[in-house]
Amino acid sequence: MAPKTLTSFLSPISFPHNLTHVTTKFLKLNSKPIPISCKSAQSQQKTVSEAQLTPEPSGTGAAVQTPGDKFLERQREFEAAKLVMKEAKKNRREKVKQKALKVSSSVVSCYGCGAPLQTSDQEAPGFVDPDTYELKKRHHQLRTVLCGRCKLLSHGHMITAVGGNGGYAGGKQFVTADELREKLSHLRHEKALVVKLVDIVDFNGSFLAHVRDLAGANPIILVVTKIDLLPKETDFNCVGDWVVEATTKKKLNVMSVHLTSSKSLVGISGVIAEIQKEKKGRDVYILGSANVGKSAFINALLKMMAERDPAAAAARKYRPIQSAVPGTTLGPIQINAFLGGAKLFDTPGVHLHHRQAAVVHSEDLPILAPRSRLRGQTFPNAKVASENGLADKFESSGLNGFSIFWGGLVRVDVLKVLPETSLTLYGPKALKIHIVPTNEADEFYQKELGNLLAPPSGKEGAKDWKGLGLVRQLQIKFEDAERPASDVAISGLGWIAVEPVSKSRRKPDLNVDNIVKELHLAVHVLNPVEVFVRPPLPVGKAGSERYQYRELTEKEEELRPKWHF
């Protein structure tokens, strides 16, 4: 093992030039200096007296390391040690001399995904052509290198890299979800400002229930992304109040809530103003679940900041890669976006095992991502009823006795509802919806899986499909038949709005006071996808008209985080 490689992460310890052997078994990473003694190669009888190495004072002012610098340095040390230990173990096992994995002395990472640069495995993240690597290294330009995987991702290729608990069933896996989460473990010990992102289309599934385990006691700015996907005529005053109400129940240290769109830049300026106000010299970390839109948000942030901040304008040249593949970012990416020392960090997405992306094949991942504004599909549907000759059935008993398939991912059996009850599904348009009698549902699923019911795509994908093995029995109670009862949210997909008495189906002589105020549904999903029952998200014109604001006490009004749009 070359001494030059070891000293890159054992600094400040220095070794004599004649050190010839290091046993990796006793390798320990420790920032504190320790005494070292060794025997001279020229004389075996003479020894070098033990010397106490005294650390230099860390100093003060702009030159001292920030918590973000220390955080990134620890990540680099971890990657370097892991690569060295892996190679040493491989050499011992094979007992042959192999070409060592080449990494720079400071383990420079790809600026697009944060993976350590390497020249050994062409298919693995961080790969750079050896000639290009040496050329860039010679000119001290490794920090401007984009790895091969990022180049493919930027051109639309679906290359997964994360497996394990929350990773993906299809594609090659080079890192586990637990390893990515471990890279964020130091954050709770840092003094930082955390910007936490949540996807409004998958609010419950992407919220990160255990975010305090990652962020610690650090203050949080909550950013709700992709609001441009909500239906037309949505009142964002109602949406903002709904988000704050749901966030307050989590009991987090949330300073403010921002509704944003990285695509249209709506709400981004408000986030910038809040960051500049609250960072107070601290580094800023962008945190969120995989595919919540962190890289897109950072690009939007830099785009707006670049108009007034030359540091942000320079940082835009080497910004993180955007991709539809959850888990694009594989390591912390430092971005020098602020004047005055504080830094911005893009972090690896937290992979959650209960989201749809963790169970579908990599080829089907694009189907799960909405590309345009959501439009709810309501059942019973007059068009569907006429095409299938079900108009009389729907008129008399409504959805009772029917099953709704949401692609091959979700099946909803309507067990007992009112004849006037309607279900409205909000999710990606690429996922087709079919309705059949419940007594024919099993046969329909077996016959059409991989065809009409996709994902999975194609009969080949259907062969390895595990099926909808998890069933949630729901009993939805409601007080006011004139308002939506609740939403049934499917983690990583969308939600189903449950309306006890639809306006379009209400009969003039209906006495809502005498009806049984309980609805029964059975929701079939893939294991371990989660199903959430929540207060209805007020979307569209009807949602804003029916939304009720909760009366707040003075103390609640004072402690409640403010929302911005």
Side-chain angles (χ1 to χ4, degrees), residues 125-428:
F127 175 79
V128 182
D129 178 76
D131 294 337
T132 302
Y133 182 91
E134 291 299 332
L135 179 63
K136 293 292 185 179
K137 182 179 179 181
R138 192 180 307 120
H139 291 88
H140 305 286
Q141 296 177 343
L142 283 175
R143 298 187 185 279
T144 67
V145 174
L146 194 67
C147 75
R149 174 176 176 266
C150 283
K151 291 178 181 178
L152 292 174
L153 288 173
S154 64
H155 287 85
H157 293 269
M158 305 301 293
I159 306 175
T160 59
V162 184
N165 187 25
Y168 315 110
K172 288 196 173 183
Q173 302 169 1
F174 298 96
V175 64
T176 67
D178 292 335
E179 286 176 337
L180 288 186
R181 182 183 283 267
E182 182 63 27
K183 292 185 178 183
L184 301 174
S185 62
H186 295 290
L187 180 56
R188 64 178 178 268
H189 304 299
E190 309 288 349
K191 290 184 178 180
L193 177 63
V194 175
V195 179
K196 173 177 156 46
L197 270 59
V198 181
D199 184 350
I200 190 61
V201 179
D202 184 29
F203 184 85
N204 297 82
S206 66
F207 195 88
L208 296 182
H210 303 290
V211 65
R212 279 186 292 188
D213 294 341
L214 299 174
N218 288 311
I220 297 174
I221 298 174
L222 184 67
V223 174
V224 181
T225 63
K226 306 179 185 180
I227 63 164
D228 56 313
L229 297 178
L230 294 180
K232 290 183 178 180
E233 299 184 325
T234 295
D235 187 341
F236 291 107
N237 289 299
C238 299
V239 175
D241 184 78
W242 184 92
V243 171
V244 171
E245 190 72 16
T247 303
T248 303
K249 295 177 181 178
K250 305 289 185 180
K251 297 181 179 180
L252 298 176
N253 185 18
V254 175
M255 306 175 65
S256 59
V257 175
H258 298 260
L259 306 183
T260 69
S261 166
S262 300
K263 184 177 180 181
S264 63
L265 301 183
V266 169
I268 299 298
S269 59
V271 180
I272 294 174
E274 187 78 4
I275 290 175
Q276 297 289 8
K277 173 185 174 183
E278 299 294 341
K279 66 184 178 70
K280 300 174 182 178
R282 296 174 294 191
D283 292 320
V284 180
Y285 294 81
I286 309 300
L287 189 67
S289 63
N291 212 32
V292 77
K294 294 188 302 299
S295 297
F297 171 75
I298 288 175
N299 290 340
L301 206 68
L302 293 176
K303 183 176 182 179
M304 294 205 70
M305 291 174 60
E307 298 177 0
R308 298 184 178 181
D309 193 335
R316 286 195 68 201
K317 188 174 181 180
Y318 303 107
R319 58 185 184 270
I321 288 292
Q322 290 180 233
S323 171
V325 177
T328 298
T329 303
L330 299 177
I333 302 175
Q334 176 183 303
I335 305 171
N336 300 320
F338 308 113
L339 291 175
K343 297 177 179 62
L344 179 70
F345 286 89
D346 187 9
T347 63
V350 179
H351 292 257
L352 305 173
H353 71 283
H354 58 73
R355 301 183 77 196
Q356 291 284 358
V359 293
V360 304
H361 194 276
S362 59
E363 295 178 356
D364 293 323
L365 287 174
I367 297 178
L368 302 180
R371 300 295 180 185
S372 57
R373 191 181 296 274
L374 300 178
R375 294 178 62 184
Q377 299 186 56
T378 301
F379 295 89
N381 184 290
K383 182 179 179 180
V384 172
S386 60
E387 289 177 352
N388 296 275
L390 300 173
D392 293 339
K393 171 68 175 175
F394 286 154
E395 184 66 25
S396 60
S397 59
L399 291 173
N400 287 294
F402 282 89
S403 294
I404 300 174
F405 283 95
W406 208 350
L409 301 177
V410 182
R411 166 182 161 183
V412 181
D413 295 338
V414 184
L415 304 179
K416 184 181 177 181
V417 298
L418 303 175
E420 298 79 17
T421 296
S422 68
L423 304 180
T424 304
L425 284 70
Y426 294 93

Side-chain angles (χ1 to χ4, degrees), residues 478-484 499-501 503 506 512 546:
F478 59 92
E479 296 295 331
D480 189 350
E482 304 291 334
R483 300 180 183 278
E499 191 175 356
V501 177
K503 277 189 175 182
R506 178 172 179 173
V512 295
R546 298 179 178 185

